[in-house]
Amino acid sequence: MNVRTAAIIPAPDGGPELSRVLASLPHGHLREIVVVGSPGADLPDTARRYGATAVEEGRRGYGRACLTGMVHLAPEPPDVVVFLRGDGTDDAEELPAVLSPLLSPGVDFVVGSRSRGEPDPGAYPGLVRLGHRIATRLILLLYGYRFTDLGPFRAIRWQALSQLGLSDPDYGWLAEMQVSAARARITTVEVPVSSRRPAGGGSRDTTLAGLFLAGLKVLLTVLRPRSTDPPRIREPEAEPQSD
């Protein structure tokens, strides 16, 4: 089964971690790699070195970078889009495992779950894990879909992605995608993934202020008014067994 796949990698500041991510990606699984970052972040040279395309986005925000990458791909869309961070916290070598469930025609969306995997010590802090546990429990209660993480390493069919109407420019992007997928009754699978500590041992997501803002935005995203359809339990499972 020939699946045309593209990767969108938000990397606002570029840097050596981006080079490591691009070098680790199994390029044979990807038709195109789009790196989205700030102007002047030395992105073009880094991207070119690894056969990727650099797209500049001067406005901050993880969701905004993902949306900018989607706009770039829209004229000739792939079959599947993979999202992963450019700071090295996602293990790019696990791309085949994230893509594997999409080889089945019955699966449209794959979420890499750090809760099901084995993150490095400190890579998935307890407060972040707790916040995601609360958010995923709310998604189960309100929408009937069972998730264990709001992990950034994920893959989704373009056709499904394009119907979700995503718009959140920052903290709520990941939750918005999962809530929208639940509302649209998109068939979802979780696979275990690992996670690494970011360069320097921390990021804005692990500061108290960052955690508060991210947590508040995620909760507001999950609690937005929803459709009146009754929830049906849809539990993401492990990667389907191959014959």
Side-chain angles (χ1 to χ4, degrees):
M1 182 178 179
N2 185 20
V3 179
R4 297 172 301 152
T5 304
I8 295 176
I9 305 177
D13 302 313
E17 289 302 311
L18 173 60
S19 294
R20 184 166 71 84
V21 170
L22 293 174
S24 299
L25 274 174
H27 286 236
H29 289 76
L30 298 168
R31 184 189 76 174
E32 185 174 2
I33 302 169
V34 180
V35 180
V36 184
S38 304
D42 219 14
L43 286 183
D45 290 342
T46 302
R48 191 180 306 112
R49 191 179 313 132
Y50 295 97
T53 301
V55 177
E56 293 185 345
E57 173 53 76
R59 299 165 296 176
R60 304 291 289 189
Y62 185 83
R64 184 172 284 118
C66 293
L67 290 166
T68 298
M70 289 171 58
V71 170
H72 172 82
L73 292 173
E76 297 183 41
D79 298 317
V80 170
V81 182
V82 178
F83 297 92
L84 71 158
R85 288 179 171 174
D87 62 0
T89 54
D90 299 320
D91 187 349
E93 293 182 356
E94 294 178 338
L95 176 70
V98 174
L99 288 176
S100 178
L102 293 170
L103 297 177
S104 167
V107 176
D108 294 310
F109 182 27
V110 180
V111 177
S113 171
R114 297 161 294 183
S115 294
R116 291 178 183 241
E118 297 182 359
D120 292 346
Y124 190 24
L127 286 176
V128 176
R129 191 188 297 258
L130 175 61
H132 287 183
R133 185 177 301 145
I134 293 171
T136 54
R137 292 289 174 84
L138 284 172
I139 292 174
L140 174 63
L141 176 66
L142 298 174
Y143 307 107
Y145 268 50
R146 194 187 306 274
F147 294 103
T148 64
D149 191 10
L150 303 178
F153 201 175
R154 52 184 58 201
I156 185 170
R157 296 189 192 278
W158 181 270
Q159 185 176 6
L161 178 63
S162 61
Q163 71 175 287
L164 297 183
L166 303 178
S167 61
D168 195 285
D170 45 53
Y171 297 107
W173 166 267
L174 299 173
E176 182 186 31
M177 186 185 294
Q178 286 169 243
V179 168
S180 298
R183 286 174 172 166
R185 301 293 189 254
I186 289 175
T187 304
T188 305
V189 166
E190 279 190 343
V191 296
V193 296
S194 55
S195 184
R196 296 169 172 163
R197 288 178 62 84
S203 71
R204 69 175 185 178
D205 295 336
T206 57
T207 65
L208 287 177
L211 286 172
F212 175 78
L213 290 173
L216 179 61
K217 186 60 178 287
V218 166
L219 289 177
L220 290 175
T221 299
V222 172
L223 293 171
R224 281 178 191 162
R226 62 192 189 280
S227 70
T228 57
D229 296 336
R232 296 179 294 167
I233 301 299
R234 300 291 296 274
E235 181 171 0
E237 299 178 353
E239 178 180 344
Q241 296 295 318
S242 58
D243 296 332

